[in-house]
Amino acid sequence: MPMSETVEMLQAILGTIDEGIHVVDASGITIFYNHVAASLDGLTQEEVLGKPLLDVFPSLDQQTSTLLRVIENGQPILNQPQTYTNWRGVRVETINTTLPVRVGKRLVGAVEVAKDIRKLRELSERLIDLQAQIAKPKRTKQSEADGLIYHFEDIITGSEPMHKLIERGKRAARTSSPVLVYGETGTGKELFVQSIHQASGRSGRPFIAQNCAALPASLLESILFGTTKGSFTGADDRPGLFELANGGTLFLDELNSMPLELQAKLLRVLQDGHIRRIGSERSVQVDVRVIAAVNEPPLETVKKGAMRADLFYRLNVVSLELPPLRERREDIDLLVGHFIEKYNRRFGMQVQGIDTAVQKRFHSYGWPGNVRELEHVIEAAMNMVDGPTIAAEHIPAHLWERTSLDSHKEGMAQIALPLPLQEDGAWKLPEVLRKTESVLIEKAMSRTGGNILQAAKLLGIPRQTLQYKLANLGGLRH
C-alpha cells in the first residue's frame, strides 16, 4: 500500500475514535486534530491544523500546556484532570494523557488523548449531593419500606450454609472491623452488606455504596476523598464519600477494579483513620467502617495483581463468601415464590406459581447470574403470562438454550471413558486419547441435538476444529 494511502487510512481511523486527539510536531505546530478535540475546544479543525499551539490557545504557555511540556522534557503525563472554558464559553472537563512521539531515539512531537468526563462527573457529584442530603442521623420508616435499606430478615433462604453465613454476618455487625465479601455477580452482596450495617451500632448513621468499576481512576479518587478548590483547574471544595459516611459504613463494591495506587491510599485510611482531600495539606479524621466486595476469589485477585496483598490482609479481618445460587438449589422454590409475590403486588396480578416443566428447568439450570438473574426471569415471565401459572412459553428463550450448556460439567463427569487394553495388558495413550475424544464429541453432539456450534462451546474448541474432527470420525451426526 502506498505511503499516502497508509497515512489517509491512519487519519481516518483516528478520526472515528470518540476521544479528543491532538498531535503536535517538535515545534509545537498541530499536525493532527480530530473532530472530537475540536468539539471539546469549541473550534473547527481548520482553525487549529497547521498552526502553532500557543497562537490558537493564547491562555496557555510553555508551562501550562501539557503538549509543550512533554515535548520539552520527553516524559509522559498520564491521566491528568483538566477543566477549562472553551472558546464558546462551554465548561469542558477531561482526563488527558499526553505522550511523547519518537522516531528511533529522536523526539518528533507529542500526542494528547482527552476523554470528556463532564457528564460522568456531573452525575457523580449529583450522587454525592444526594448522599449528603440523605446521610442523616436516622433513616425514616418510609425509606426502609421502599427497600433502600435491607435487613438480615430480608434474605430469603432455607439453606443451612446461608443460615450459618447470616449468623457470621450478625456477629461481624457487633464490631467496626473491616469486612471483605466475596460473591459472584448477582448473589446479593449489597443486600448482605446493608444487613450488616443495619444490625450494627452504626445503623442510624450513613450507609454509602460506591462501585469501584464505574468510574475512571482519577475521578474515583476525588469522589472518595474529596477535592480542594484549586487542586486542579476548575476544582471546588467538595467532601468525598469518606467524609459523608463519617460515623457510618462505606461499601466499596468491585474493589479489585480499583487502581493499585488508589488501593494504597485506601490502605492508609484503614490504618490511621485519616483522609486528605486532593490538593489539601490538612488531614481529617474519619470514623468509617469499610466493607469491600469482590466478584472473584480474593486470593486470585491478589495473585493476578488486581488487589494489593497488604490491602487484602487488612480487609480480610472478617471474610464472608456468598454461595452462588447453583450451590443453594433448595432456595430456588422459595425465591420463585418470593419474586412472584413481589411482582403480583407491583403489577396487580394473581399468578400462583410455575408449572412442573419450568420448576424442573429452574432446578437444572446453572444460574450464572444467580439470584438477580432468577428475579429478572420471573419479572420477564410475569410480563408474558395471562393465567395463574407460569409455563415454558413464558420463560425467556435463553434459559432453555443455556441449561444444556450449563449442565455439561455434570454430564461430562458421568461419561464412562474407554480405556482400551493392548494384548500385553498395557494402555496405549494415543489410543486412549482417540477413544476419549470420540466419546466426548459424541456426547456433546447428542446433548446439543447435533448443533455443531453449541457442541463446540461445550467442548471448548472452535467450531471449525469440531467440524474437522467430525469429518475424521466419519461424519458423526446426531
Side-chain angles (χ1 to χ4, degrees):
M1 180 181 294
M3 180 61 70
S4 60
E5 291 184 18
T6 302
V7 172
E8 287 180 9
M9 181 178 291
L10 179 59
Q11 289 178 338
I13 292 171
L14 292 176
T16 62
I17 294 174
D18 62 352
E19 296 176 353
I21 300 178
H22 192 167
V23 184
V24 297
D25 64 16
S27 301
I29 295 175
T30 298
I31 58 175
F32 184 84
Y33 187 71
N34 72 350
H35 70 282
V36 178
S39 177
L40 289 173
D41 293 332
L43 299 167
T44 65
Q45 291 173 276
E46 291 73 20
E47 289 174 305
V48 180
L49 284 169
K51 298 177 182 177
L53 187 71
L54 298 184
D55 287 357
V56 182
F57 301 96
S59 62
L60 297 175
D61 57 33
Q62 196 73 29
Q63 297 303 315
T64 56
S65 168
T66 48
L67 282 165
L68 296 181
R69 279 164 51 198
V70 167
I71 289 174
E72 182 180 0
N73 59 36
Q75 299 300 314
I77 299 173
L78 305 177
N79 298 320
Q80 177 167 302
Q82 183 177 22
T83 303
Y84 61 97
T85 300
N86 70 16
W87 278 31
R88 292 178 182 166
V90 177
R91 189 183 186 207
V92 180
E93 194 154 7
T94 60
I95 289 181
N96 299 352
T97 290
T98 313
L99 304 170
V101 178
R102 290 186 171 86
V103 175
K105 294 183 179 181
R106 185 167 59 94
L107 192 146
V108 297
V111 56
E112 184 162 85
V113 180
K115 178 184 287 291
D116 185 3
I117 62 166
R118 177 180 36 187
K119 292 182 180 178
L120 184 58
R121 182 179 287 280
E122 286 174 359
L123 289 172
S124 300
E125 290 182 350
R126 285 180 192 173
L127 174 62
I128 291 179
D129 292 340
L130 179 60
Q131 288 170 324
Q133 292 173 25
I134 66 175
K136 297 177 180 178
K138 290 291 180 183
R139 303 283 180 175
T140 65
K141 291 294 182 183
Q142 185 61 44
S143 71
E144 295 178 7
D146 289 342
L148 299 176
I149 297 296
Y150 297 104
H151 299 75
F152 282 116
E153 292 75 17
D154 297 314
I155 299 175
I156 308 297
T157 185
S159 163
E160 185 60 28
M162 277 296 292
H163 282 301
K164 290 181 179 178
L165 192 64
I166 290 171
E167 288 305 312
R168 291 188 64 202
K170 289 179 178 179
R171 289 196 293 272
R174 299 178 302 193
T175 74
S176 292
S177 297
V179 178
L180 184 60
V181 178
Y182 160 55
E184 295 178 7
T185 298
T187 51
K189 294 188 289 294
E190 182 160 353
L191 186 155
F192 206 86
V193 170
Q194 287 191 10
S195 298
I196 293 174
H197 172 78
Q198 280 296 91
S200 75
R202 297 172 178 262
S203 59
R205 304 299 299 169
F207 175 90
I208 294 178
Q210 175 62 53
N211 188 304
C212 298
L215 298 170
S218 57
L219 185 52
L220 179 60
E221 181 178 3
S222 64
I223 294 296
L224 288 176
F225 299 111
T227 56
T228 302
K229 188 175 180 63
S231 55
F232 55 87
T233 308
D236 297 319
D237 283 314
R238 300 190 68 90
L241 297 185
F242 270 101
E243 290 181 70
L244 293 178
N246 193 29
T249 303
L250 178 60
F251 172 43
L252 299 176
D253 198 7
E254 296 194 55
L255 183 73
N256 47 311
S257 298
M258 180 184 286
L260 295 178
E261 62 271 18
L262 193 50
Q263 290 185 26
K265 295 183 179 181
L266 173 61
L267 178 61
R268 287 197 294 272
V269 177
L270 291 172
Q271 290 173 335
D272 61 25
H274 286 79
I275 63 102
R276 182 181 296 174
R277 293 187 186 182
I278 295 176
S280 175
E281 297 180 357
R282 185 173 64 92
S283 293
V284 177
Q285 186 168 7
V286 291
D287 173 23
V288 177
R289 182 182 203 174
V290 173
I291 302 181
V294 292
N295 53 16
E296 54 184 310
L299 282 175
E300 288 299 315
T301 67
V302 174
K303 291 178 181 177
K304 288 164 52 178
M307 188 191 301
R308 292 173 58 105
D310 47 6
L311 178 61
F312 164 72
Y313 293 122
R314 183 69 189 92
L315 284 171
N316 204 43
V317 175
V318 178
S319 179
L320 301 171
E321 181 176 344
L322 297 180
L325 185 57
R326 62 182 175 275
E327 293 180 8
R328 41 182 288 217
R329 293 185 184 273
E330 63 268 42
D331 286 343
I332 290 176
D333 292 339
L334 285 173
L335 290 165
V336 167
H338 169 74
F339 292 135
I340 288 177
E341 182 181 348
K342 173 180 175 178
Y343 289 103
N344 271 337
R345 292 195 304 268
R346 181 173 297 182
F347 299 154
M349 301 173 69
Q350 293 183 338
V351 175
Q352 297 174 10
I354 59 178
D355 68 15
T356 303
V358 172
Q359 183 183 39
K360 182 178 179 181
R361 185 66 69 179
F362 280 4
H363 279 270
S364 65
Y365 183 56
W367 299 107
N370 293 293
V371 178
R372 183 184 299 140
E373 183 185 7
L374 174 58
E375 179 176 3
H376 292 168
V377 166
I378 295 297
E379 182 181 4
M382 296 285 280
N383 277 273
M384 297 292 108
V385 68
D386 54 5
T389 305
I390 293 173
E393 62 265 26
H394 306 132
I395 299 300
H398 80 272
L399 195 80
W400 306 96
E401 295 169 1
R402 294 176 64 176
T403 300
S404 60
L405 296 177
D406 193 74
S407 60
H408 78 278
K409 291 183 180 178
E410 292 87 347
M412 291 299 180
Q414 297 170 5
I415 295 174
L417 298 178
L419 293 176
L421 288 172
Q422 302 297 314
E423 292 182 0
D424 57 2
W427 289 305
K428 301 302 182 183
L429 185 58
E431 181 67 11
V432 170
L433 293 176
R434 190 185 69 78
K435 290 285 188 181
T436 300
E437 181 179 77
S438 175
V439 170
L440 290 175
I441 290 175
E442 183 177 356
K443 292 290 185 182
M445 292 294 290
S446 174
R447 192 177 297 280
T448 60
N451 187 309
I452 295 178
L453 178 60
Q454 298 295 343
K457 290 181 178 179
L458 270 177
L459 295 165
I461 59 176
R463 177 179 55 82
Q464 295 87 342
T465 301
L466 179 56
Q467 288 177 320
Y468 173 78
K469 291 181 179 295
L470 285 169
N472 287 342
L473 291 172
L476 176 66
R477 293 291 187 275
H478 291 275

